[in-house]
Amino acid sequence: MTDTRAISLIMSLRGQGITDQRVLSAIERTPRETFVDDPFEANAYENSALPIACGQTISQPYIVALSTQELEIQANHRVLEIGTGSGYQAAVLAQLCRMVYTVERHKPLMQLAHSRFQQLKLHNIVTRHGDGFQGWPEQAPFDRILLTAAIPDLSPTLIDQLKPGGILVAPVGKPVSAESNSQDLVKIIRTEEGTSRQSLIPVVFVPMVPGLPQVNSDGETRK
Ligand code: SAH
């Protein structure tokens, strides 16, 4: 049975202009409380981002909904996500497409997300511990690519992993600072001739960080 809090969340997303019924149903079916840490269980259905381990965040449901809607996903698609985080966005995508490939640089986050996918029997999500700046060349090309961490500039490495006709959605811009207080959520469509680019809305995402975190001799991980 759907949690009544999930129904209120869906109504609020509709009010914010999310019209794709398949996206709304996928969000309604995804138990967000499974993806937040215990202290935030009571806040799981609020339309806001929340902190998760390793200094990262689970995205706001509205941003998950908008990004997913703009990806125009079809049932036979293979989708690459960069930035697994809690696993929530991947779980929403998995209900709409054939296969989700998700990459995370923090191993503990990747492992926790993987166990959540098992628990929810989402067997069409494959996880990888790695640097998303490289994409996932062995599985490319993808029908769709979603970045859930902000990239300063979109690199050809990622766009080259998109099929012609494919769509990539990403927060593009520098980390939030005194000079810039948001990034741009950008939608790129790869055409035979090149790419077309559309700016959707200003957003605030954690930055994409190159390479893997270094683990020191005490087993502590540096960001
Ligand atoms: N999609 C997530 C939100 C994640 S926040 C969710 O639904 O919860 C962004 C994530 O991107 C963080 O977990 C961060 O560790 C990860 N990230 C940052 N840089 C990365 C990189 N270079 N490669 C892979 N993951 C990266």
Side-chain angles (χ1 to χ4, degrees), residues 52 54 56-59 64 81-90 103-106 109 130-133 148-149 205-211:
I52 57 172
C54 304
Q56 306 302 316
T57 48
I58 172 172
S59 305
V64 171
E81 181 199 26
I82 309 289
T84 315
S86 68
Y88 178 67
Q89 170 75 74
V103 183
E104 171 57 55
R105 67 188 285 279
H106 282 292
L109 289 179
D131 178 5
F133 277 98
T148 67
F205 275 81
V206 294
M208 240 173 109
V209 179

